[in-house]
Amino acid sequence: RFQACVYFASVFQAMSCGIHYLASVFMAVTPNFVCGIPGNVSSVLFYNSTEASLEDIWTIWTSTENYIVVQLENGEIWELSQCSKSKREVSLDLAYEYKGNKSVLSCSDGFLYDDTKWKSTVVTQWDLVCDREWLAKLIQPTFMLGVLIGAVIFGDIADRLGRQRVIWFTSAGQFVFGIAVAFTSDYYSFVIVRFLLAMVSSGYLVVAFVYVTEFVGIKARTWASMHVHAFFAMGIMVVALVGFLVRTWWVYQIFLSIATLPFVLCCWMLPETPFWLLSEERYEDAQKVMNIMARWNKVSTPCKVSELCSVQQDDPVSDRTGDNDASLAKKHNILDLFCNWYIARRTITVWLVWFTGSLGYYVFSLSSVNLGGNEYLNLFLIGAVELPCYIIACIGMDKLGRRNTLIPFLILSALICVLIMFIPQDFNVLIILANMAGKFSIGVAFGLIYLYTAELYPTIVRSLAVGSGSMMCRVGSVVAPFCVYLRSIWIFMPLLLVGIMALLSGILTIMLPETLGKPLTNTLEEATEIGRNMKSCSGKTPPAHSGAALEKIEMFGQETVSTEK
């Protein structure tokens, strides 16, 4: 009961990470627009259609390359395009075609935006169009850069100060910075505050993974850690819903920020993990947490810290190897991930899968609003399709194996990218379904690479391997928005890039060893041997670590304490 409450409370806030990661798809959208004019419009002409106002002409606006002819109340006739305007020297009659002299001017009077769908966005707020368009395109990449930096900073702080304090700070930070974004007065303060919001959002997500892992028992750990992603996906669905209901960007941002306010008000009740407290030798605090767990779980024989300490002291393997392992661990660096050909090839492949998974995940998500049809429904479905994909990933990992699940889904996602290119553009429903299938496939691969990476590397560099893979994941998330912008060059360019990367990753993954049912390795030599010949490792048993204390806490957390240990 205790673990369930802590788990669901922690992962509930993960929704806010999904919310803020994808908020820009509606907040920074660019509606139809033309140059502003110095005067009141009396009539508007677009080809053969004449209207009394610009609001009526937006519904038949077909291409951004076309221009609109307007006549002012003073009789002047102007041709308005997106980034320039032309004044006709001879104003005889209102006609679309004109062969006479024109004065071409810049958009010094601002811009006129189509507000039929979005009342206000950050693009319309600060005129991030034409020569300032690049500023709008930097909104999502700078956010993802904050995600990268936040993961590094708060991951280290959580090891030093504890998981509880970081969860408190990052939860409050998401709420405060989320609200602050809505009240920024200029573009640069907007980007800076969103950068800080990205850092705390990423920090929470990273620490939440560690936090729930240290509270959840071994049997449920795979499912529990995988479904943190599911709550992230629910955050994407919330973005679609709020975007549909609220069409003013700063109100939209406020509603998104208060979506997880209940957790912010209650997160101070979450305890520190006993594992971290024991590692810091705060035995009395660890005992208090375990006593609370005992009361919630109705355990009649509470576990004692003194028993755990005695188990660790009596562990002969710990006595023999503890100091040596500690000294060795300090000497390892990222170059050890390239110590020989087998490990180097494995590292390159794993990094590529991390990068491809993140790139594909965000390309499918960010592109969903450009698929045609209802963009809000598209984003909602792209988020909803993740929920079953993590269930399939868990079942596949346990039944087929890590590699045998990863390979087909990577190759399938590449094939789907190619398939989408051959679907006619007016088949909106089929295009959306294919994109959902692509997001599903890449989501399975992206979800299981966390655990697979940890199992592919020995203990002495395992954290380093997962951390470096996570960094490649963040790089992929920074590159993804730029990849989406390549639609302006060729509409299928983002899909082509994702498809190539997914196919290459799938082919290289064939050379990785299967780790299902295999003991974790401790040295680089053991990990190398797996790459050379899996059979040579199949009969080995995992070395006896000083994990008796850890097992005792986990069994205690699951309402039973073995009296034999």
Side-chain angles (χ1 to χ4, degrees):
R1 187 182 298 116
F2 181 87
Q3 282 85 345
C5 291
V6 168
Y7 175 78
F8 285 108
S10 302
V11 297
F12 176 77
Q13 180 67 4
M15 284 197 302
S16 66
C17 300
I19 286 172
H20 295 304
Y21 276 42
L22 273 296
S24 66
V25 294
F26 297 129
M27 183 166 52
V29 69
T30 302
N32 292 327
F33 67 95
V34 292
C35 270
I37 45 177
N40 297 322
V41 176
S42 61
S43 60
V44 182
L45 177 65
F46 182 70
Y47 285 109
N48 296 325
S49 300
T50 304
E51 303 291 345
S53 65
L54 275 173
E55 287 74 14
D56 300 321
I57 213 74
W58 293 125
T59 56
I60 56 175
W61 178 272
T62 56
S63 174
T64 57
E65 298 178 357
N66 295 329
Y67 62 88
I68 297 173
V69 179
V70 298
Q71 186 172 31
L72 305 185
E73 292 178 348
N74 61 8
E76 295 179 352
I77 298 179
W78 292 77
E79 295 178 6
L80 306 179
S81 60
Q82 286 202 320
C83 297
S84 64
K85 57 186 177 182
S86 303
K87 180 183 178 182
R88 294 180 178 179
E89 299 297 339
V90 180
S91 304
L92 296 177
D93 57 347
L94 186 63
Y96 195 75
E97 298 294 338
Y98 176 74
K99 302 298 183 181
N101 294 328
K102 295 182 289 187
S103 301
V104 181
L105 304 172
S106 63
C107 300
S108 56
D109 296 301
F111 299 88
L112 300 173
Y113 296 97
D114 176 10
D115 61 357
T116 55
K117 186 175 291 186
W118 295 283
K119 298 300 181 184
S120 172
T121 70
V122 294
V123 172
T124 64
Q125 180 89 9
W126 297 303
D127 290 335
L128 306 180
V129 293
C130 296
D131 57 341
R132 288 168 56 86
E133 182 183 9
W134 65 276
L135 293 174
K137 290 185 175 181
L138 282 179
I139 290 175
Q140 188 66 17
T142 53
F143 184 91
M144 289 303 181
L145 182 62
V147 168
L148 190 155
I149 296 175
V152 175
I153 293 177
F154 287 104
D156 181 65
I157 294 177
D159 288 337
R160 297 173 183 271
L161 302 181
R163 289 78 166 101
Q164 181 192 49
R165 292 180 181 178
V166 174
I167 284 180
W168 288 355
F169 178 80
T170 53
S171 300
Q174 284 186 81
F175 177 74
V176 172
F177 291 132
I179 297 295
V181 166
F183 294 96
T184 50
S185 58
D186 60 86
Y187 169 81
Y188 296 101
S189 61
F190 170 81
V191 170
I192 291 172
V193 176
R194 266 184 55 89
F195 183 86
L196 298 175
L197 175 61
M199 289 182 61
V200 294
S201 297
S202 175
Y204 181 87
L205 197 59
V206 169
V207 177
F209 268 106
V210 177
Y211 187 76
V212 300
T213 299
E214 293 182 349
F215 267 116
V216 176
I218 294 175
K219 292 182 179 180
R221 185 167 294 162
T222 299
W223 285 77
S225 61
M226 285 287 286
H227 282 80
V228 174
H229 295 289
F231 282 85
F232 184 95
M234 291 173 63
I236 298 177
M237 297 162 67
V238 171
V239 171
L241 179 61
V242 176
F244 175 74
L245 297 174
V246 183
R247 306 298 177 91
T248 302
W249 78 267
W250 61 272
V251 180
Y252 161 84
Q253 176 66 28
I254 291 175
F255 272 90
L256 291 179
S257 301
I258 64 176
T260 54
L261 180 60
F263 177 82
V264 177
L265 299 176
C266 302
C267 66
W268 60 272
M269 300 173 63
L270 291 177
E272 184 57 81
T273 67
F275 291 113
W276 186 83
L277 292 171
L278 288 174
S279 70
E280 295 293 311
E281 299 183 355
R282 292 170 54 180
Y283 301 120
E284 292 184 4
D285 294 333
Q287 186 64 63
K288 291 178 181 178
V289 174
M290 289 188 288
N291 289 340
I292 295 174
M293 295 169 67
R295 288 196 298 270
W296 276 65
N297 294 339
K298 298 181 180 179
V299 176
S300 57
T301 55
C303 191
K304 301 296 183 182
V305 170
S306 57
E307 297 175 4
L308 301 179
C309 293
S310 64
V311 169
Q312 289 179 318
Q313 292 172 358
D314 294 341
D315 191 341
V317 178
S318 175
D319 293 339
R320 287 198 308 270
T321 65
D323 295 337
N324 292 333
D325 287 347
S327 61
L328 289 173
K330 295 178 181 178
K331 298 179 181 179
H332 289 286
N333 56 55
I334 199 167
L335 295 179
D336 290 300
L337 301 180
F338 299 88
C339 63
N340 58 57
W341 165 245
Y342 296 97
I343 299 298
R345 185 178 62 186
R346 186 176 307 175
T347 299
I348 293 172
T349 302
V350 168
W351 282 4
L352 188 62
V353 175
W354 277 92
F355 177 85
T356 302
S358 179
L359 180 70
Y361 182 94
Y362 286 106
V363 165
F364 279 114
S365 298
L366 295 173
S367 299
S368 62
V369 295
N370 301 318
L371 298 179
N374 189 310
E375 58 267 34
Y376 306 103
L377 180 60
N378 293 350
L379 184 62
F380 184 89
L381 293 176
I382 285 292
V385 76
E386 287 188 56
L387 302 182
C389 93
Y390 297 127
I391 298 176
I392 298 298
C394 290
I395 295 174
M397 283 193 297
D398 292 340
K399 301 297 182 182
L400 302 177
R402 282 69 161 129
R403 184 189 63 178
N404 296 336
T405 302
L406 182 60
I407 294 172
F409 278 102
L410 281 173
I411 296 178
L412 178 61
S413 62
L415 294 176
I416 291 173
C417 288
V418 175
L419 175 64
I420 295 173
M421 298 181 192
F422 292 95
I423 301 176
Q425 289 301 295
D426 53 346
F427 285 54
N428 288 336
V429 174
L430 192 57
I431 291 175
I432 294 169
L433 290 176
N435 275 269
M436 289 176 63
K439 177 69 177 295
F440 180 94
S441 300
I442 206 72
V444 172
F446 192 30
L448 67 84
I449 191 60
Y450 284 83
L451 180 61
Y452 193 27
T453 301
E455 294 176 341
L456 283 171
Y457 290 88
T459 303
I460 55 176
V461 293
R462 185 168 295 126
S463 295
L464 186 63
V466 175
S468 63
S470 180
M471 288 294 294
M472 293 303 298
C473 164
R474 310 302 175 191
V475 173
S477 66
V478 173
V479 173
F482 293 107
C483 187
V484 174
Y485 298 148
L486 293 177
R487 286 175 59 92
S488 60
I489 299 175
W490 184 41
I491 190 173
F492 296 123
M493 184 64 75
L495 290 174
L496 178 63
L497 294 177
V498 172
I500 292 173
M501 297 298 294
L503 181 62
L504 180 61
S505 301
I507 293 174
L508 291 178
T509 303
I510 296 174
M511 296 184 289
L512 294 180
E514 180 55 70
T515 59
L516 177 63
K518 305 299 179 182
L520 294 177
T521 57
N522 284 321
T523 65
L524 289 168
E525 290 75 15
E526 292 178 4
T528 302
E529 189 65 22
I530 291 180
R532 289 174 178 169
N533 187 0
M534 283 293 295
K535 293 183 180 180
S536 64
C537 292
S538 60
K540 294 183 180 181
T541 57
H545 282 287
S546 57
L550 181 144
E551 295 174 3
K552 201 172 184 68
I553 294 178
E554 289 178 338
M555 293 185 67
F556 163 75
Q558 297 179 42
E559 303 188 13
T560 58
V561 176
S562 173
T563 57
E564 297 177 359
K565 286 186 180 286

